[in-house]
Amino acid sequence: MLYQRSSALFKEAEKYIPGGVNSPVRAFKAVGGTPIFAKSAKGAYVFDEDGNRYIDYISSWGPMILGHAFEPVVNAVIAKAKDGTSYGMPTEIETKIAKLAVEMVPNIDKIRFVNSGTEACMSAVRLARGFTDRDKIIKFAGCYHGHSDSFLIEAGSGAVTFGSPNSPGVTQNTAKDTLMAIYNDIDSVKTLIEANANEISCIIIEPVAGNMGCIPPKKNFLKQLRTLCDAHNILLVFDEVMTGFRLAKGGVQELYGVNADIVCFGKVIGGGLPVGAFAARDEIMQHLAPLGSVYQGGTLSGNPLAMAAGLAMLETIAEDQELFKRLADKTEYLHKGCAKALNKHKIPHVINREGSMISIHFTIGEVVDFKTAALGNNERFKQFFHGMLAEGVYLPPSAFESYFLNDALSYEDLDATIKAVEKVASTL
Ligand SMILES: *Cc1c(COP(=O)(O)O)cnc(C)c1O
């Protein structure tokens, strides 16, 4: 495959955009090489500027669950654009998508739309702090909740895991309010709660983690969190930016039968346009301005084009009773095929999967948290990534990202992918 135009475009982009990209993971830093510039996409495929075609397992990092350029979404956006693209006034379509989301997701009464997953999580935490009148939050190492200051924290050293900033620009004072627990380790949460009695406003979690590869919660882990939160008047925040409308109509709350107090959305809910949202029961949401005193707002929040795309997306998902089963079946098929191909060439690996999320870790032993995810052989991952790319399969360019399958993938595409895995595995 030739990447001449991508290389030239990247050089030009680097002159005007830091690192040539508007979001770091696109830069291929984790895998080396030159990022590929997308030109168009349709169904299961992305086409780059050099005319190469890839079977796409990123699905724009999640949103494209129905495949690229899905017609009802595209048509809804075109139709809406003709009426003007933003007014700064309320519109009917905002209520339509809000009503549908509230019907689809268990245990929420009201939903507020924002412009990104980052904004959703940041606002959810502010709301939790305002509601409980407490400052601290617990998050889990390896979970990603966007790039707002409170979340750019890593586990500190020492016995008591106070967070410390993991980006310059995040202050120590912000970091001290973010406590770090270990995913799938309920004792780590108990320890933090005991050491900070009556100071913790919320626990925020990716209820199925997707930002350290795919890591499902252990049996009962979410239920145990719920019980702890109830016992200590702590709000449980599910960050379903990745899992919402992807793993089930009602997300992980429905899938695992555990209620959260605040739920964050992004990705699928915008149908590929910039949308995030957070939702909760009335009792909590009424603390939000203009009803309550917790401030949150946005010039382009609930933008009509974004709402049109999101509504077309959610309507399709709501109507299609078989969607999640189809996606899970395809993912299982891919899992089995990849495992067979890797085993044939004796490549040690662990595959984690939940619904249409899947990740291959080049390690032995189960991958259940950030520490075990980080044990993966990154050199091998890089080789695998570039090998698959050369075979026309676009995987996430980082070992810490989940693949996202979309409904446009055919079994022929999956077979071609498995064949590519087999070929690449023979070279590892
Ligand atoms: C992508 C993601 C975010 C951030 O969303 P952006 O739209 O990139 O700001 C937050 N939480 C999770 C779980 C995500 O996967």
Side-chain angles (χ1 to χ4, degrees):
M1 270 196 217
L2 290 173
Y3 305 114
Q4 277 165 337
R5 252 188 82 70
S6 275
S7 297
L9 289 170
F10 185 54
K11 283 206 181 78
E12 186 68 5
E14 281 182 301
K15 288 187 202 160
Y16 306 106
I17 301 171
V21 294
N22 281 310
S23 194
V25 72
R26 296 177 199 163
F28 275 26
K29 252 185 113 173
V31 289
T34 300
I36 286 162
F37 275 57
K39 183 166 190 192
S40 67
K42 180 73 191 162
Y45 310 117
V46 173
F47 301 87
D48 72 11
E49 287 280 356
D50 289 282
N52 303 308
R53 190 198 84 168
Y54 306 91
I55 303 173
D56 178 30
Y57 287 95
I58 299 193
S59 303
S60 180
W61 300 98
M64 301 307 173
I65 191 170
L66 303 174
H68 289 280
F70 184 69
E71 260 174 42
V73 171
V74 172
N75 292 340
V77 173
I78 292 171
K80 244 321 171 232
K82 291 182 175 160
D83 293 332
T85 56
S86 180
Y87 318 105
M89 294 158 69
T91 53
E92 183 182 10
I93 196 167
E94 293 164 75
T95 309
K96 281 193 181 159
I97 185 172
K99 177 167 185 268
L100 183 55
V102 166
E103 280 166 8
M104 289 171 80
V105 177
N107 190 43
I108 61 171
D109 298 318
K110 298 258 163 52
I111 183 164
R112 168 74 51 93
F113 285 92
V114 295
N115 304 288
S116 68
T118 294
E119 243 190 286
C121 296
M122 175 187 91
S123 308
V125 163
R126 185 182 306 137
L127 179 58
R129 284 173 165 154
F131 180 79
T132 56
D133 199 19
R134 297 172 177 178
D135 289 346
K136 292 186 173 156
I137 65 171
I138 292 179
K139 86 174 276 290
F140 294 87
C143 282
Y144 180 69
H145 306 293
H147 65 87
S148 84
D149 287 10
S150 297
F151 301 125
L152 293 185
I153 307 295
E154 61 193 3
S157 48
V160 185
T161 41
F162 283 121
S164 64
N166 73 355
S167 164
V170 176
T171 66
Q172 291 289 350
N173 268 334
T174 299
K176 78 173 177 19
D177 285 332
T178 300
L179 310 173
M180 302 290 293
I182 299 166
Y183 202 83
N184 274 324
D185 179 347
I186 200 70
D187 288 335
S188 74
V189 183
K190 282 185 190 157
T191 307
L192 289 175
I193 293 177
E194 277 160 23
N196 299 273
N198 301 319
E199 290 186 89
I200 296 163
S201 60
C202 69
I203 298 177
I204 184 166
I205 185 167
E206 288 181 65
V208 169
N211 284 291
M212 39 186 168
C214 173
I215 301 186
K218 283 185 182 161
K219 196 172 176 292
N220 290 331
F221 180 61
L222 297 176
K223 283 205 174 90
Q224 289 168 323
L225 283 180
R226 179 71 269 171
T227 306
L228 273 179
C229 284
D230 289 341
H232 297 275
N233 294 317
I234 295 169
L235 297 186
L236 182 58
V237 181
F238 276 6
D239 175 356
E240 297 224 43
V241 170
M242 200 176 261
T243 54
F245 307 103
R246 170 163 285 278
L247 295 185
K249 236 183 263 184
V252 176
Q253 288 193 96
E254 175 189 315
L255 198 63
Y256 278 74
V258 177
N259 283 345
D261 297 301
I262 306 179
V263 190
C264 306
F265 298 102
K267 300 193 169 117
V268 175
I269 201 172
L273 271 78
V275 180
F278 59 105
R281 298 185 305 277
D282 268 329
E283 168 206 7
I284 296 171
M285 287 306 258
Q286 73 190 14
H287 285 255
L288 211 54
L291 294 178
S293 50
V294 177
Y295 189 72
Q296 186 280 323
T299 303
L300 291 175
S301 292
N303 172 269
L305 299 194
M307 297 295 97
L311 181 61
M313 191 77 159
L314 296 198
E315 278 175 343
T316 308
I317 293 172
E319 279 160 21
D320 189 341
Q321 302 302 328
E322 297 295 314
L323 173 67
F324 295 106
K325 164 115 179 46
R326 267 198 318 276
L327 281 165
D329 287 349
K330 286 178 193 176
T331 311
E332 183 181 2
Y333 185 84
L334 183 69
H335 181 162
K336 286 187 175 150
C338 289
K340 201 170 154 200
L342 292 167
N343 284 333
K344 184 173 162 194
H345 296 285
K346 303 200 164 47
I347 308 291
H349 68 276
V350 175
I351 299 180
N352 282 356
R353 166 168 64 93
E354 177 87 63
S356 54
M357 292 164 61
I358 181 169
S359 56
I360 301 175
H361 303 259
F362 293 110
T363 176
I364 38 175
E366 47 172 23
V367 174
V368 293
D369 56 17
F370 184 67
K371 211 167 141 192
T372 45
L375 291 175
N377 180 337
N378 205 44
E379 282 311 308
R380 180 159 274 172
F381 172 79
K382 283 187 203 175
Q383 273 180 296
F384 181 68
F385 170 81
H386 283 292
M388 292 299 285
L389 197 64
E391 294 299 316
V393 179
Y394 200 100
L395 302 177
S398 155
F400 291 98
E401 304 286 352
S402 167
Y403 311 178
F404 299 105
L405 272 67
N406 67 64
D407 195 41
L409 282 163
S410 66
Y411 279 86
E412 288 73 43
D413 296 324
L414 297 172
D415 283 333
T417 306
I418 292 163
K419 223 171 130 194
V421 171
E422 150 108 63
K423 187 170 166 194
V424 174
S426 74
T427 68
L428 294 178

